[in-house]
Amino acid sequence: MSETFYGSDFAALQSFDPDIADVLVGELDRLRGGLQLIASENFSSPEVLTALGSTLSNKYAEGYPGRRYYGGCAEVDKAEELAIERCKTLFDAEHANVQAHSGASANQAVYGAFMQPGDTLLAMSLPHGGHLTHGTRMSFSGKWFNAVHYGVDKDSEDIDYDEVERLAKEHKPKVICAGGSAIPRLIDFEFFRRVADEVGAIFWVDAAHFIGLVAGKAIPSPVPYADVVTFTTHKVLRGPRSGALVCKEEHKTALDRAIFPMMQGGPQMHTIAAKAVNFKECATPEYAAYARQVIDNAKVLAEALGEKGIRPTTGGTDTHLSLHDLQPVLVTGVDAEARCDAAGITLNKNAIPFDPQKPNIASGIRVGTPCVTTQGMGADEMRTVADLIARAITEGDADPEHPVSREIRAQVSDLVARFPAYPR
Ligand code: DSN
């Protein structure tokens, strides 16, 4: 191994390009200085970031290990083989493809492998918790495929399983998708498998949000039930910003071909190496404890916000996120997001099921605990966080100089100083 590792040389960057160096420091300060509650974000380890900032970024390696279209791939082949094997072991999967650049590209591969333009997809509707790439009109998936959407039940606010079954029987989709971006409850994968079998559909789980909880064995896995499971690697999982998929052996060739050469060209070998590091991290007992704590924290946070009148939809959560209805406190999602932002709390406005507001206004917020749990916070801190959020939303202001914004920011500062992100 060479003694000098060329990567992560911040002093060199600072000297050559102080403008970008300032952005990197500014972002690190932002992460350290506030509360990060976006449910799809996390803090990757320095080891993951080191692999990302490596010379593997230089390598063209179209193809798969041992079958590349370029010479010089011996080292990157080792990284991809490790990532594949670790991913298969972590999820007890028959096959893994670790080349997707993102969750959206992994999802594209599902369409590429199993559907022709005009074919029917059955998936959860975006305003009820689905995802852009699950057949919304603005996305390729809604433009090129006939998307039929199920939603949540009006009373339980959880997936309307009766509707899933009815629509599947009526429309006979090629693919049925479970998963999304704002689903606080566990999904009944066995039910979806049965319905897919009854109508002869492929069963696809987009596990981007909760795969990190599966990796930590904190919730049941979709892998035994689904034909294919796509996911991102940067949410609860805590890896690099990227995607991957696991599938049954019988779909391996179709999905590998759909990733490359159908949807992507050269894989990002530095990111694949970082995914390998991440999968190794996720196989440790420390990670499993982390995944359980993420859920425990999310439950406490959801309940504590509920006690302040910020109602959790479905009555709570089983996962890393909760969705809250702000209508009882007469504040919109967009205002809540801005008030929290001014108070040093980063979260996002979110549509709630049957939302009377437009998506860019929204009646809700989504909060998640991956970041604060990485920082080491527990139940007591979640109650404090709920107090801070509730005060920012009900008494705060979008102006960072407003006295309430200042006061809450000072309390946020004290809290995060006790649980530093990326300790110095
Ligand atoms: N945009 C991501 C999220 O925040 O949930 C999903 O792709």
Side-chain angles (χ1 to χ4, degrees), residues 30-311:
R30 186 190 70 80
L31 292 180
R32 283 172 166 160
L35 274 168
Q36 312 305 327
L37 295 168
I38 293 187
S40 46
E41 294 182 359
N42 210 336
F43 303 140
S44 309
S45 67
E47 291 80 1
V48 165
L49 295 177
T50 300
L52 273 179
S54 70
T55 56
L56 270 66
S57 165
N58 298 331
K59 191 72 198 92
Y60 249 116
E62 285 181 11
Y64 288 102
R67 293 175 289 133
R68 305 285 189 185
Y69 288 84
Y70 293 83
C73 289
E75 293 302 323
V76 295
D77 272 7
K78 287 183 208 164
E80 186 162 349
E81 278 160 1
L82 280 168
I84 291 169
E85 283 314 309
R86 288 174 185 175
C87 185
K88 281 168 63 179
T89 306
L90 188 62
F91 297 115
D92 202 11
E94 292 173 16
H95 178 66
N97 185 309
V98 296
Q99 288 197 1
H101 299 327
S102 66
S105 354
N107 293 353
Q108 278 178 9
V110 174
Y111 293 99
F114 301 119
M115 295 175 76
Q116 295 296 324
D119 280 351
T120 298
L121 166 79
L122 177 60
M124 192 160 190
S125 86
L126 180 64
H128 283 213
H131 190 256
L132 191 68
T133 57
H134 298 176
T136 56
R137 270 180 307 164
M138 309 79 80
S139 147
F140 74 95
S141 56
K143 290 187 191 297
W144 297 342
F145 304 100
N146 171 39
V148 176
H149 288 118
Y150 57 87
V152 300
D153 175 77
K154 225 174 169 111
D155 295 325
S156 70
E157 297 177 305
D158 195 10
I159 295 172
D160 185 340
Y161 288 95
D162 290 339
E163 187 181 33
V164 172
E165 185 156 10
R166 182 176 59 72
L167 291 174
K169 288 184 172 156
E170 187 181 332
H171 295 277
K172 301 272 186 306
K174 265 271 177 62
V175 172
I176 299 179
C177 175
S181 284
I183 306 173
R185 295 298 183 179
L186 298 180
I187 298 171
D188 185 345
F189 303 122
E190 199 174 346
F191 169 88
F192 274 94
R193 175 77 267 169
R194 176 180 66 72
V195 172
D197 284 342
E198 277 177 27
V199 301
I202 290 285
F203 175 33
W204 160 33
V205 175
D206 181 342
H209 259 273
F210 57 84
I211 196 72
L213 303 174
V214 175
K217 315 273 185 274
I219 62 169
S221 172
V223 174
Y225 300 101
D227 291 287
V228 55
V229 177
T230 56
F231 54 95
T232 49
T233 49
H234 50 270
K235 297 191 172 85
V236 183
L237 206 59
R238 218 162 47 181
R241 173 161 298 277
S242 196
L245 64 83
V246 294
C247 67
K248 302 279 183 227
E249 183 74 20
E250 66 189 282
H251 303 307
K252 157 183 162 172
T253 306
L255 283 158
D256 281 355
R257 284 184 184 153
I259 291 276
F260 172 83
M262 189 175 185
M263 299 296 177
Q264 294 187 173
Q268 300 183 349
M269 300 315 301
H270 57 309
T271 316
I272 289 174
K275 285 182 242 192
V277 175
N278 172 235
F279 296 143
K280 186 169 182 175
E281 290 173 340
C282 291
T284 60
E286 291 76 18
Y287 180 83
Y290 163 74
R292 289 193 298 272
Q293 188 66 48
V294 165
I295 300 176
D296 291 349
N297 281 350
K299 284 179 190 286
V300 175
L301 182 57
E303 191 182 327
L305 281 169
E307 284 163 7
K308 307 262 167 204
I310 300 177
R311 185 185 78 83

